[in-house]
Amino acid sequence: MSYEFVKYLRQYVCNTLGSMIEEEMEKCISDQNQSEDSGYDTVVQHVTKRTQESKEYKEMMHSLKNIMIVVVESMINKFEDDEIRIQERQKKLQNEKSNSYCTDNCSDSDSSFNQSYKFCQGKLQLILDQLDPGQPKEVRYEALQTLCSAPPSDVLNCENWATLCEKLTVSLADPDLVFSDRILKFYAQTFTLSPLHMTKEIYTSLAKHLELYFLSRENRIPTLSTGVDITNANVIRLLKKVRLLNEYQKEVPSFWIRHPEKYMEEIVESTLSLLSVKYDQSHLVSQKILDPIYFLALVDAKAVWFKKWMHAYYSRTALLRLLEKKYKSLITAAVQQCVQYFELCETMKADEILRHSKLCGNKQKNFYYSGQELQYIYFIHSLCLLGRLLIYTQGRKLFPMKLKNRKDSVSLTDLLVLFTQLIYYSPGCPKTTSAAHSENYSPASMVTEVLWILCDQKECAIECLYNNTVIEALLQPIHNLMKGTEAASHCSETALIHVADILAKIASAEEGLILLLYGENVNSSEEENPTGAHVIAQFSKKLLDEDSPIFSGSEMLPVVKGAFISVCRQIYSTCEGLQVLIPYSLHESIAKAWKKTSLLSERVPTPVEGSDFVSSVSQQSQNIMVWEDNLLDDLLNFAATPKGLLLLQRTGAINECVTLMFNRYAKKLQICRHKKFGYGVVVTQVASTAAGAIALQSSGFINALITDLWANLECGRDDVRVAHPRSTPVDPIDRSCQKSFLALVNLLSYPAVYELVGNQELPNKAEYSLREVPTCVTDIIDRLIILNSEAKIRSLFNYEQSHTFGLRLLSVICCDLDTLLLLEAQYQVSEMLLNAQEENMLETSENYRDFIIDGLSVERNHVLVRINLIGGPLERILPPRILEKGNVPYPWPMFSSYPLPNCYLSEVTRNADIKQDNDLSKLLLCFKITDKQTEWIENYRRQFCKMMKTKPDIISGAALVELLEKFVFHLSETSSECYFPSVEYTATDANVKNESLSSVQKLGIKMTVRYGKFLNLLKDGAENHLSLVLKHCERFLKQQQIPIKSSLLCLQESYTGHDWFVSSLFMIMLGDKEKTFQFLQQFSRLLTSAFLWLPRLHISKYLPIDIIESGIHPVYFSSTHYIEMLLKAEVPLVFSAFHMSGFAPSQICLQWITQCFWNYLDWIEVCHYIATCIFLGPDYQVYICIAIFKHLQQDILQHTQTQDLPVFLKEEALHGFRVSDYLEYMEILEQNYRPVLLRDMRNIRVQST
């Protein structure tokens, strides 16, 4: 009909407009031949336009409209006549039916045949009669064929459906194979096309038939001794029925939730009733008749049906309720089968195991399953069923359970121990469904799969797996192998690999890691009962050092090594795990194995073309390369923690490890299969050290990062096709550049900046190519930050966006005061910004110039205030980066020269001396008491804590000076409290007066004096006094330093940054240089000086030579290491936020500690930080940082969501934080962690690895 209509329209258009269209085309083509622009599209567009504007077209449309109106009216009239006729015919048929048959109530929507065929009750009764067994075969076949062709819904809605269902159930047992197959076809068709309430009836009838079939002793059901021959006709028919049942079991969960619950419960109960069928047999097990569960296991070995039924709460609730109340025997039988299989494996001798494995692997036996194989398939089914059951709380409540011939009940722990033992004791893989899939059905791999699933469920893993009994069962063969007992010979390499995979999964979860590290009893002795982590580390070390004959010469040995090192990697990539594994020196063993493998890869002979030797050499070379990369990856994971990074640098493999990381990062490969997050934390840790920064640069990581940034910020490569123009950025830093911005923020710590930028001049070229892409940090500073020439500005496609990016980056990295001083000393950053502001002014009248307020001038103003003013949250005011609504969009005054406008200086109370308090007098009296040394120290500390909690403001000014002087003097005179030896120093001011300080130190002095004068702590002349103090300190510390040859810039001369601790102390001492230096000489003998006064241990002779060569300060590998460890335990949400953000707490803490919290805390809190660490111990440095993170928890979580956590932590001051408010919390931390922390801090001189 539609085709004829289109045909008519086309003919009509051709007749009406055809000649006109041809004329227009000829005219248009001739016109275009005379011009240069031509083309088919142009001709078509022109002709179409002329045609639609023509008179003929309008007349045609009017005529066509009239014709269509007539046609449509005629069709409507005909349709109404047809409807009346159909209704009369239906009424007549309905009357006839009511006279001869019962009314058919089926819904039209349920049948696909109801327009042409109605299945009535008389027809169904006829089919029932014809299906009677007494009828001839042909009659029964025809009746069944009629039934199959009828709409299923019509059949269901007939009154005789229940009778028909019973008849079909009986007919399923018909000996005629063709007839029973046709009934199964009807069942399959019903399952596919019918609604649930019909398929439920069919399913339950099929399940009932099978249940009766197995209960009947007349049927020839195979036994275990005879096995199952699947070429046997009876077996084929039985398997078809079970297979059909199983297919429906796997499909029905997808739609039964849309129907009443009773339907689902009937299906579940009929299934469980069938599977619970058992025979009362008194004869031997070998003569046992096979139960239905064996045949279900044959068609669904991994119990997929049970997995799907347990997935949804809707069906799981009913299933578990029925299992608990009526069908618990089904679960008991599954447990019994697992126990029996294990006992079989345990009793089999080695030669029997070998013979059994060969038998099961025979590919010619495709049509016969022996009794052993059937038992194994049922075991696999039981294993998968139990594994799925244990995931859920109600499923675990079914345990413990009583088994036949067993006195004790089987608990959850017993079952898990049984599973782990199956990994070691089970023989080679029997055949299941096909030889091709035999490996997937091996006992070890199946148990491993089940245990992995249990590990993924936290609640389940804690209840089932995380206990000493299960861990000991997993580790028992390792104990045997290490002791060399006879039982060790039964453990294969494959089994060990599976166990290692399970242990790695356990170690990747926090609860599992704690269990492996400390066991269930944290206070137990490691010597008497070593925990899992110790056993794994010892075994891994033996494998790596090859000092054990275990599997010597085996091709699988590297895989076993790799699997167990992977477990260790999960442990030592955490701070607490590394502390436990440090005594085993795994980093040395792995590095040794890597160097050996690296030499082997160089010695692999070159394959000769045409030789049979080629393939073997190629495979050998590939295996060696994979093993080499795995070992480097294992070493790289040490860099996840500060102390681990120190160990990695000691191995000398950091460059190769970082190169491997960059290669994997470039290929978008996952860092580790058990890690939830990527490379961010590792990169941040590595970038926090000088050697790490050099490794990142040499690997190409920094180059790739900057190239990627430039592609997003400015332009991509020449060969990139631009499909559409990029959208104009709305945010100061476009979303496409946000990731690169954060990566640079994480990368540019002061140690990295000094190595990458130190002593390097800017290119400052006269001309820059538009396609000249920066490749290093110096280029970024030159092209994005210090835009001091027209050539640089013209070289940028997006000048404002790119320069804003550079200014934002400068703002963040200059929050590290050492970085600020370095950039100021080398590149005069503030002068460049002031000049730019000067150039951004407009003459509004003859004698008045005003600043142009735009995005860049606002950014520059913010940066200038930030880098010029020092102070905590209440001591300085930073102008916002956004404009305000109203007539004055930016009320903050801009400037192009110093000093800053007064509006940026806070009006806080400065150096308000407080009269001496009674409590302070009591504190000072402690020094006159002549009791035992430990008593007066503890008494003094107790009084200090009391004052800090009640009157913290007293501890400031002259009172603080007196307290510090007396306390440090008494400690330095107490030999037990001195950590470093006394050093004789005789230089005078005249001796050091002519010595020079670095430009960074000079700028630092000016900054300190400016801050001190703002606080009314320093007076005129303070600059010279502080300069003398720093010169004395430098000479004093040089006496305790040793020369060292290193490629690192930070080790080639004196301390590279400014001495913020000495500057702070100078301000505390109110600018008294004699008091300051005398205090420092005494303080230098105490352990606390190593962690508060960072230059104290710069290339110091008191440190081991390898630590000096690493360039890593003890504050990093000790203090920040424990900050991360305690943060994970005390404020886990914050620790997780750091990992999600790809940022390491150690980097920001190192920055805070290095500059004594300047710009982050107000001056009085800086004093309290220093006083607390001196009075209460160096471990309080760690506790204060933990308290800060606890204070910032909500802000940190919020900025994790907005994906700017590193920027927030570096730029924002610590608003509202007071040391005294958290002193009680820090005392609790001291009680819990002091022994461990102080022991490690005291070990820095002989750091054990």
Side-chain angles (χ1 to χ4, degrees), residues 596-856:
K596 183 178 178 181
T597 308
S598 184
L599 289 173
L600 283 175
S601 64
E602 294 173 2
R603 294 176 184 174
V604 173
T606 305
V608 180
E609 191 175 352
S611 170
D612 296 336
F613 187 54
V614 173
S615 59
S616 62
V617 168
S618 177
Q619 184 62 43
Q620 180 188 2
S621 175
Q622 186 177 359
N623 292 341
I624 290 174
M625 288 175 65
V626 169
W627 177 229
E628 185 180 358
D629 284 351
N630 285 343
L631 289 170
L632 278 177
D633 204 16
D634 295 329
L635 283 173
L636 174 64
N637 275 263
F638 277 99
T641 64
K643 188 171 291 185
L645 183 57
L646 171 68
L647 301 182
L648 172 59
Q649 289 201 19
R650 286 177 157 189
T651 64
I654 186 169
N655 289 330
E656 290 80 1
C657 288
V658 173
T659 300
L660 174 73
M661 178 182 70
F662 171 62
N663 292 336
R664 291 175 63 83
Y665 173 81
K667 295 174 183 176
K668 310 295 182 187
L669 297 176
Q670 189 177 351
I671 188 168
C672 175
R673 61 176 173 168
H674 298 297
K675 293 289 184 184
K676 296 179 181 178
F677 304 105
Y679 298 86
V681 173
V682 175
V683 172
T684 309
Q685 294 282 20
V686 171
S688 300
T689 65
I694 295 297
L696 286 169
Q697 186 178 46
S698 60
S699 69
F701 183 89
I702 296 177
N703 189 349
L705 175 63
I706 292 173
T707 303
D708 186 51
L709 161 67
W710 200 259
N712 290 321
L713 194 60
E714 279 291 312
C715 56
R717 302 184 306 275
D718 291 337
D719 58 346
V720 176
R721 181 180 178 183
V722 179
H724 53 82
R726 292 191 300 179
S727 57
T728 303
V730 177
D731 300 320
I733 295 178
D734 190 49
R735 293 188 66 179
S736 62
C737 304
Q738 188 72 21
K739 189 173 181 181
S740 300
F741 179 76
L742 292 175
L744 280 174
V745 168
N746 294 354
L747 173 71
L748 296 178
S749 66
Y750 178 68
V753 170
Y754 190 78
E755 293 300 319
L756 301 174
V757 175
N759 302 328
Q760 292 192 30
E761 294 183 1
L762 294 180
N764 283 326
K765 297 180 182 179
E767 187 177 354
Y768 293 85
S769 166
L770 292 174
R771 293 297 177 185
E772 188 175 340
V773 177
T775 58
C776 61
V777 177
T778 309
D779 288 348
I780 287 293
I781 296 173
D782 184 51
R783 301 290 300 279
L784 297 181
I785 297 175
I786 303 183
L787 299 181
N788 52 1
S789 69
E790 284 295 322
K792 293 181 182 180
I793 296 174
R794 285 197 301 267
S795 71
L796 298 175
F797 286 111
N798 306 304
Y799 163 63
E800 286 195 13
Q801 182 191 355
S802 298
H803 192 31
T804 301
F805 182 97
L807 291 172
R808 286 287 173 105
L809 182 63
L810 176 66
S811 174
V812 178
I813 64 175
C814 281
C815 292
D816 188 318
L817 294 180
D818 283 330
T819 302
L820 168 60
L821 295 180
L822 178 67
L823 295 180
E824 186 65 28
Q826 287 191 184
Y827 307 129
Q828 294 77 47
V829 173
S830 58
E831 183 182 341
M832 177 275 299
L833 294 174
L834 290 171
N835 291 338
Q837 291 292 75
E838 178 72 23
E839 293 170 2
N840 203 47
M841 296 180 73
L842 184 68
E843 290 189 9
T844 55
S845 63
E846 293 182 1
N847 299 321
Y848 184 74
R849 299 176 71 202
D850 199 3
F851 289 94
I852 299 172
I853 298 174
D854 59 11
L856 290 177

Side-chain angles (χ1 to χ4, degrees), residues 911 913 957-958 961 1016-1019 1065-1072 1076:
N911 192 28
D913 274 332
V961 173
N1016 291 331
L1017 297 173
L1018 300 180
K1019 299 177 181 178
L1065 201 64
F1066 182 73
M1067 288 171 61
I1068 290 173
M1069 298 293 179
L1070 304 176
D1072 190 322
T1076 303

Side-chain angles (χ1 to χ4, degrees), residues 950-1185:
T950 56
K951 302 174 182 178
D953 292 337
I954 292 175
I955 304 177
S956 62
L960 177 60
V961 173
E962 189 175 358
L963 289 173
L964 287 173
E965 283 183 324
K966 290 189 175 182
F967 183 76
V968 170
F969 172 75
H970 279 73
L971 282 187
S972 63
E973 294 297 316
T974 307
S975 57
S976 61
E977 295 294 328
C978 291
Y979 183 77
F980 297 104
S982 177
V983 176
E984 186 178 352
Y985 182 77
T986 58
T988 62
D989 288 353
N991 298 133
V992 300
K993 189 174 183 180
N994 295 326
E995 292 186 5
S996 61
L997 294 172
S998 68
S999 55
V1000 168
Q1001 289 277 37
K1002 290 176 183 176
L1003 288 171
I1005 291 170
K1006 291 181 179 179
M1007 187 178 286
T1008 302
V1009 172
R1010 194 163 62 243
Y1011 185 37
K1013 286 183 176 180
F1014 166 72
L1015 295 172
N1016 291 331
L1017 297 173
L1018 300 180
K1019 299 177 181 178
D1020 294 338
E1023 195 169 321
N1024 292 331
H1025 291 169
L1026 179 55
S1027 177
L1028 281 172
V1029 171
L1030 289 172
K1031 289 176 181 179
H1032 276 296
C1033 289
E1034 195 167 315
R1035 176 174 283 202
F1036 175 67
L1037 294 178
K1038 270 186 180 178
Q1039 294 179 204
Q1040 304 165 60
Q1041 294 173 352
I1042 57 173
I1044 190 158
K1045 293 182 179 179
S1046 173
S1047 60
L1048 297 177
L1049 289 178
C1050 63
L1051 298 180
Q1052 291 177 1
E1053 47 191 54
S1054 58
Y1055 185 72
T1056 56
H1058 180 67
D1059 197 330
W1060 298 106
F1061 177 73
V1062 170
S1063 295
S1064 302
L1065 201 64
F1066 182 73
M1067 288 171 61
I1068 290 173
M1069 298 293 179
L1070 304 176
D1072 190 322
K1073 64 178 177 25
E1074 284 79 15
K1075 278 187 177 183
T1076 303
F1077 186 63
Q1078 184 182 359
F1079 176 89
L1080 287 169
Q1081 284 180 289
Q1082 297 166 357
F1083 180 65
S1084 67
R1085 299 194 63 192
L1086 307 181
L1087 175 63
T1088 310
S1089 67
F1091 297 92
L1092 281 184
W1093 188 10
L1094 268 69
R1096 171 76 182 87
L1097 289 182
H1098 177 67
I1099 56 175
S1100 172
K1101 64 182 180 181
Y1102 302 122
L1103 294 177
I1105 189 66
D1106 53 353
I1107 289 183
I1108 298 174
E1109 290 175 344
S1110 72
I1112 300 179
H1113 198 279
V1115 166
Y1116 182 74
F1117 69 72
S1118 185
S1119 293
T1120 66
H1121 179 85
Y1122 282 103
I1123 288 169
E1124 291 199 1
M1125 189 172 105
L1126 269 64
L1127 186 64
K1128 184 178 179 182
E1130 296 293 327
V1131 201
L1133 288 178
V1134 170
F1135 181 81
S1136 298
F1138 271 102
H1139 271 254
M1140 290 173 66
S1141 301
F1143 187 54
S1146 58
Q1147 190 182 97
I1148 187 63
C1149 289
L1150 181 64
Q1151 181 172 318
W1152 288 341
I1153 292 167
T1154 301
Q1155 62 196 51
C1156 293
F1157 289 93
W1158 282 33
N1159 280 356
Y1160 291 103
L1161 293 176
D1162 292 323
W1163 173 245
I1164 191 166
E1165 296 306 321
V1166 172
C1167 295
H1168 287 172
Y1169 158 70
I1170 293 173
T1172 302
C1173 292
I1174 292 175
F1175 292 140
L1176 301 183
D1179 52 329
Y1180 268 77
Q1181 185 179 70
V1182 174
Y1183 309 146
I1184 286 173
C1185 289

Side-chain angles (χ1 to χ4, degrees), residues 573-593:
S573 61
T574 64
C575 294
E576 63 274 25
L578 184 65
Q579 288 302 117
V580 172
L581 297 192
I582 273 183
Y584 298 102
S585 301
L586 282 174
H587 63 289
E588 293 178 358
S589 298
I590 297 171
K592 184 180 176 183

Side-chain angles (χ1 to χ4, degrees), residues 122 430 510 560 764 862 894 916 985 1083 1141:
E510 181 63 23
V560 176
N764 283 326
H862 178 91
M894 293 188 180
Q916 190 160 309
Y985 182 77
F1083 180 65
S1141 301

Side-chain angles (χ1 to χ4, degrees), residues 387-388 390-392 396 451-466 505:
R388 186 57 52 175
L390 295 180
I391 291 176
Y392 305 102
R396 296 193 293 275
L451 294 184
W452 264 53
I453 294 171
L454 297 184
C455 286
D456 284 333
Q457 314 298 320
K458 181 178 179 180
E459 184 181 345
C460 169
I462 291 172
E463 192 173 342
C464 296
L465 282 170
Y466 299 160
K505 190 75 172 177

